[in-house]
Amino acid sequence: MKILVLNAGSSSIKYSLFAMNDHRVLLNGILERIGETMALHRYRLLDAEPVTAEMPLTNHQQALQTLFSTLANSGAVRNGELACIGHRVVHGGELFKQPALITAEVITQIAGVIPLAPLHNPANLQGMKESMRLMGNVPQVAVFDTAFHQSLPDYAYRYPLPADLYTDHGVRRYGFHGTSHGYVAKRAAEFLGKPLPELNLITLHLGNGASATAIEAGRSVDTSMGMTPLEGLMMGTRCGDIDPALHFYLSRSLGLSLETIETLLNKDSGCKGVCGENDMRTIHEMADAGDQTAKLALLMYAYRLKKYIGAYFAVLGRVDALVFTGGIGENDSWLRRQCCEGLSGLGIIIDPTQNQAPAHPCAAIHTHTSTVKILVINTQEELEIAIQAEACLNATR
Ligand code: ADP
């Protein structure tokens, strides 16, 4: 069985084609700069050299046409071989606790959630609609970033705000990166040789966006992102937790508009705000060269992360493993050491040698005296979307 996973953004579409018998990636690629004068299509077939092609692509329909032609012309998918298309959807609100087979009704429901995710859901929907139009004969499944966190208890997901904002307008914490937190939790259970429902975990997804999740008996019970992906940890360009009253100051005293504040907090804050850079590798290079702003950004990032580890320890009471994942979580040994430092009282003791170069895709980096296991696990969000899409398809047959 072959499953295609699509992640449609406003000007790009990322995709991966999986062979579901052994979870191999047969083809993956990205269509970028859709809507600009010249778009870029970069892709790679299993065991082949990467291909880059420039072409004008006015909209998502043209981009997907190019993608489906590539699937057919490259021989990656022959007639009738594509069993399903899985779509990444950022926000499923409270409606979607599981992946959903895409129907006209599901599309309407996802559109209803747009006010909660105006920066993400419209592009996801556009990808879905065009894909249904072009490949309507193939079953398609929506997989939601928020679904894994639908198990949060109300005292964790509600904001201390007037109740009607929740009941009438859906203002609550939803959490994101659910496919990644769910995937690494499953891998951690396999690695530790225990059933997931018996495990308490703190999973740290640290990529360009970053979030921490407290997992109790295999279920998400708290997570750092909120109604939007802006809440929680300090990130590459997002501020994470800040005083909400800052908005009044930015508006009243500095005269910034709502749109400017939204961009400032989402795109110009976090590491980028503090040191001018958002790529963690560059920030380390700057810090190594003596740049004080880069050093401060690293210390702030690690400090804020450590506070969440402590908070989720308190939430869970017992923690079996701390799991690092995402580009930073998997590769940044300095950060892993820094945010675990001084936590031996909680039973978290990192092994400096194991931490230096953990084996791929899953490794333990704690000492034998550490009561909490510390794991580094390669996340595979696209594969998890394919796995969930396959399960949804089988359940609906
Ligand atoms: P996304 O959230 O877009 O999927 P990734 O999970 O790929 O992002 O993470 C991107 C981040 O990972 C970047 O900040 C990048 O600098 C960081 N990263 C990648 N490799 C390393 C490394 N060797 N050391 C430190 N940071 C790294």
Side-chain angles (χ1 to χ4, degrees):
M1 179 191 269
K2 291 180 182 176
I3 292 186
L4 176 71
V5 173
L6 292 183
N7 182 353
S10 55
S11 64
S12 72
I13 299 175
K14 286 189 205 153
Y15 63 91
S16 299
L17 177 73
F18 291 95
M20 295 311 287
N21 57 342
D22 56 5
H23 292 171
R24 253 177 324 148
V25 181
L26 301 174
L27 168 72
N28 66 352
I30 180 165
L31 294 133
E32 295 169 283
R33 300 197 229 133
I34 301 166
E36 292 182 28
T37 330
M38 249 332 159
L40 201 61
H41 186 195
R42 292 186 284 139
Y43 63 92
R44 184 176 186 165
L45 271 165
L46 182 70
D47 297 330
E49 289 300 309
V51 177
T52 302
E54 272 198 321
M55 68 201 72
L57 295 173
T58 316
N59 51 34
H60 281 56
Q61 186 187 4
Q62 288 181 5
L64 285 173
Q65 257 161 355
T66 304
L67 159 55
F68 292 130
S69 307
T70 307
L71 286 187
N73 299 340
S74 64
V77 171
R78 297 187 208 288
N79 254 353
E81 261 190 339
L82 190 60
C84 176
I85 300 176
H87 293 263
R88 180 193 180 209
V89 184
V90 169
H91 216 309
E94 286 187 334
L95 275 176
F96 297 102
K97 300 184 192 320
Q98 302 286 342
L101 195 67
I102 300 175
T103 58
E105 189 191 354
V106 165
I107 287 194
T108 308
Q109 289 171 329
I110 296 173
V113 183
I114 285 178
L116 296 175
L119 303 180
H120 296 101
N121 269 32
N124 298 160
L125 262 177
Q126 220 180 338
M128 245 180 276
K129 283 183 189 162
E130 293 303 342
S131 175
M132 290 290 278
R133 216 187 329 256
L134 294 167
M135 299 288 272
N137 55 333
V138 176
Q140 311 205 15
V141 173
V143 179
F144 302 89
D145 272 16
T146 46
F148 183 64
H149 303 300
Q150 278 296 299
S151 45
L152 258 62
D154 52 5
Y155 54 80
Y157 72 66
R158 283 288 296 274
Y159 287 116
L161 292 169
D164 61 341
L165 284 178
Y166 169 62
T167 50
D168 300 351
H169 302 285
V171 175
R172 53 159 281 185
R173 309 181 63 254
Y174 291 93
F176 299 88
H177 291 145
T179 44
S180 178
H181 289 290
Y183 176 81
V184 296
K186 285 193 286 185
R187 293 285 85 80
E190 275 172 21
F191 187 82
L192 298 172
K194 283 199 170 170
L196 184 54
E198 289 177 15
L199 287 178
N200 286 359
L201 305 169
I202 299 175
T203 51
L204 307 170
H205 176 103
L206 312 173
N208 285 315
S211 63
T213 294
I215 296 176
E216 185 176 56
R219 288 156 59 87
S220 172
V221 291
D222 204 352
T223 191
S224 58
M225 285 178 165
M227 175 156 147
T228 76
L230 192 55
E231 190 179 337
L233 301 173
M234 172 171 164
M235 308 178 212
T237 64
R238 298 190 194 120
C239 57
D241 296 335
I242 51 166
D243 184 344
L246 203 80
H247 299 66
F248 317 138
Y249 175 79
L250 294 174
S251 170
R252 287 204 196 103
S253 299
L254 304 186
L256 303 187
S257 68
L258 266 185
E259 288 69 26
T260 307
I261 296 174
E262 188 170 33
T263 306
L264 184 144
L265 300 180
N266 275 292
K267 303 225 158 99
D268 298 323
S269 296
C271 295
K272 190 177 174 197
V274 177
C275 72
E277 271 295 335
N278 60 287
D279 190 297
M280 212 42 123
R281 285 164 293 200
T282 315
I283 299 172
H284 276 292
E285 282 166 19
M286 287 164 61
D288 291 345
D291 187 301
Q292 292 305 319
T293 63
K295 286 184 185 172
L296 177 62
L298 289 172
L299 289 175
M300 287 172 67
Y301 192 103
Y303 175 72
R304 284 173 167 248
L305 184 55
K306 189 182 205 169
K307 287 207 291 187
Y308 266 93
I309 296 173
Y312 287 170
F313 214 104
V315 165
L316 295 169
R318 185 202 88 224
V319 177
D320 296 296
L322 185 63
V323 181
F324 287 92
T325 192
I328 298 168
E330 292 168 36
N331 294 298
D332 195 330
S333 54
W334 178 89
L335 182 80
R336 290 193 299 259
R337 200 184 60 231
Q338 184 72 17
C339 69
C340 288
E341 204 162 83
L343 297 186
S344 59
L346 297 179
I348 297 175
I349 311 170
I350 206 162
D351 180 318
T353 313
Q354 302 293 337
N355 180 43
Q356 215 45 47
H360 188 88
C362 189
I365 58 164
H366 50 273
T367 66
H368 68 279
T369 51
S370 181
T371 51
V372 176
K373 314 274 187 257
I374 311 174
L375 307 179
V376 178
I377 301 182
N378 171 236
T379 194
Q380 297 214 43
E381 290 169 280
E382 287 83 12
L383 174 59
E384 178 62 14
I385 291 172
I387 292 170
Q388 292 195 21
E390 183 181 28
C392 175
L393 199 61
N394 291 338
T396 46
R397 265 183 183 151

